[in-house]
Every structure is written in C-alpha cells, then in structure tokens.
Amino acid sequence: MKRRSIKRLPKAHLHLHLEGSTRPSTIREFAELEGMDVGDGNFTNLPEFMVVYSKSAQTIRRPENLKRVCRELVEDEAEQGVWWSEPMGVPQYYWERLKLPVDEVYAIMKEGFDEGTRATGTEVGMMAGINRNFGVDGLFGVSTVQTAEFAVRQKGNGVVSFGIAGDERIPPDPFGPACDIAHEGGLLLVPHAGETMGPESVWSAIKTARPHRLAHGVRSIEDPDLLKYLRDNQIVCDVAPTSNLLLGVAQDIELHQLPKLIDAGVPVTINTDDQTFFGAMLCDEYRLVRDTFGLSDYELAGMARVSALASGAPEATKQRILKGIDAWLESDPDEDAQQ
Ligand SMILES: [Zn+2]
C-alpha cells in the first residue's frame, strides 16, 4: 500500500527551542572550540534534561556561531518540508555570553534566519521567550518585562510570538505583567503548560497568559472542563510526542494523550520540542503518530492546516501553506507504507 510522503506535506513547526534544535555535530564543534565539556547528554526527566540543555547551549558563545545555529536551523527545517518555522529563542541567555543588548542579539539571530530563508525558501518568525527558572527579574540583567518590551519592539521585524518555558512547578502568575505587554503589543502568547504538571497548571497559564496556543498542553486530558474550554476557545496544543515519551510525560506512545485531545475537538499540531536531544525530526514525529494511531493523510493534513493557521506567519504565507496542503492531498500516494 502506498501513501503520501510526510516530507512533501507543507508544515509549520511551532514548538521548538533554538538551542535544542542545533545540530549535534555543531554543538560538538563549538564545545571543542571553547574547550568545554558538554557531558554524556543523558537524562530521564525534565530537571535533568534542563541541565543537559544548558550545557549544550553554553557552547554558543560567539556572534558568528549564534548566526550559524540560526541558519542551520532553517536549512534543517527545509529538509523536513517545513514552510514556516517558529523557534523559541531566549535572547536573555546571550546577554551573559555575548555581552550584547537583546536587540543586538536578535539582529544576529535574524541575520542567520534570513540567510537560511534566502537559501531554502523556508520562512521564520521567532518566538521571543522567557524562562520561569530565571525569575521575574531575569538572570542576566534583562527582566521578563524588558524581554516582552523587546519582543513587541521587534514585531514587524520577525518576532511573532511570546513564549514562557522553564520549570512548570514555578507558578506563572508573577509573569503576568510581561504577558500583558506582549498581548497589548499584538503578539501570540504561547506558555508551556500541561507537560510535567496537570490541569491546575494549564488553568493558571490560561489565567496569566491568555494563550493562543499551549506548548504541550497534553495533560489537559485529565480535566474534561479544561478540554471543553480549550475546544470552545480553539486554544491549540503544540504537541511534541517524542519529548513526552523521553521525559516521562507519556509512559508509552500507545498511551499518549494525543488521540484524546483530538477526540475532544482540541486543535493540535505536531512538533519536535528539542530535536537535537530527542533524536526525532519533524517528519519522524508525524510518522510516529501516523503509525501509532492509524491517522489518515486527511487527518495529518488537518494537523498541518492547524499549524499554518495558528502560527504567527503573515496571511500570504498561511494561504501558500494551505494551498500546498491541498495540492499534497490531491497528489498520488508515493511512499511505501513500511517507510
Ligand atoms: Zn518546549
């Protein structure tokens, strides 16, 4: 039996972290250059993972290397049939390493993204992020409010959304003022929630951030009222299946929360979160859910449509992706089912 190639399906990729999407070979090269030890890379849960992530991210310490990371990310996205990529970057990190103001850090990132776009045609909108672990005042002299102000300043210059990452056990409430600034500035709000913590955490993220999308959101299935709220308000869950498996959010792929979200009418997208560390690229994630849950090409196209519509992409880009998805569905199946 033949089916359509996932790589050919036009997709928007909405939940990925910049440093977590860096090529492993590039990280190794940087580590050698800086004389740094990034450790064995092993982790079994989110707190351990954050230490591994931070060690790798610390190797990006030069403007030219940050730019290279951004360019390579776009090249890798294009390889996966991604037409719009929305990586989360935390410019605060680079204040410490590059000693540059956030707008200058972003200018370097944007140069890299633009180079990648010119080479591949894959477009990028950055999600400017804050990290709960750094606290409201931030670690490196850039507060969360200042980050939100930066994000709004760069709206129209490639920043499209505002994300909150970090340890979900830290309540989001104190980050409300930053979220309000991002909201009023017209950015899409995308907090991480419903990953390691349950429905209470999602409800408080909803109250604080008034999100357009949730990074993860999978544990919302534990509360029928919450599922109804997400469906009624069409709040999208940017699901990352392999991440959930490797960090223990789902015990087994057959037990993953995705089908319950779909059955409840919650809009979902498929994502990698941190492809470098989890070893699964975006096409792998689509294949995983297709093979596990027997999703048809129409259902996969439906999730790709949600990814375009819920993204921060310009309207013309969204329409181009939607047309590409229609063309994909009209095309002949070209791939063996075993692949
Ligand atoms: Zn994430």
Side-chain angles (χ1 to χ4, degrees), residues 13-144:
H13 193 184
L14 306 182
H15 178 181
L16 68 159
H17 300 266
L18 179 64
E19 297 83 3
S21 308
T22 305
R23 291 175 192 168
S25 55
T26 299
I27 293 285
R28 280 196 298 275
E29 206 183 300
F30 290 171
E32 204 168 301
L33 175 74
E34 308 293 354
M36 296 172 77
D37 179 10
V38 289
D40 59 13
N42 292 331
F43 54 87
T44 55
N45 55 41
L46 192 62
E48 285 176 17
F49 171 69
M50 283 175 179
V51 173
V52 171
Y53 187 105
S54 171
K55 276 188 180 167
S56 284
Q58 288 282 340
T59 66
I60 309 168
R61 313 186 72 81
R62 302 174 193 219
E64 65 271 24
N65 287 350
L66 176 61
K67 184 172 139 185
R68 173 175 158 189
V69 162
C70 295
R71 187 192 70 238
E72 289 182 350
L73 170 81
V74 187
E75 292 168 358
D76 292 346
E77 290 284 67
E79 267 301 299
Q80 300 296 312
V82 172
W83 291 26
W84 173 264
S85 180
E86 207 166 304
M88 177 168 171
V90 181
Q92 274 180 315
Y93 290 149
Y94 296 95
W95 169 245
E96 180 212 14
R97 287 172 230 157
L98 306 181
K99 300 283 182 280
L100 291 173
V102 282
D103 292 85
E104 288 182 39
V105 169
Y106 175 65
I108 295 165
M109 292 176 169
K110 184 153 186 341
E111 250 181 75
F113 292 141
D114 287 349
E115 277 181 16
T117 299
R118 281 195 295 275
T120 64
T122 293
E123 293 174 64
V124 178
M126 198 175 86
M127 181 186 300
I130 56 175
N131 188 316
R132 297 184 195 205
N133 302 39
F134 297 171
V136 174
D137 294 331
L139 276 187
F140 311 121
V142 185
S143 72
T144 51

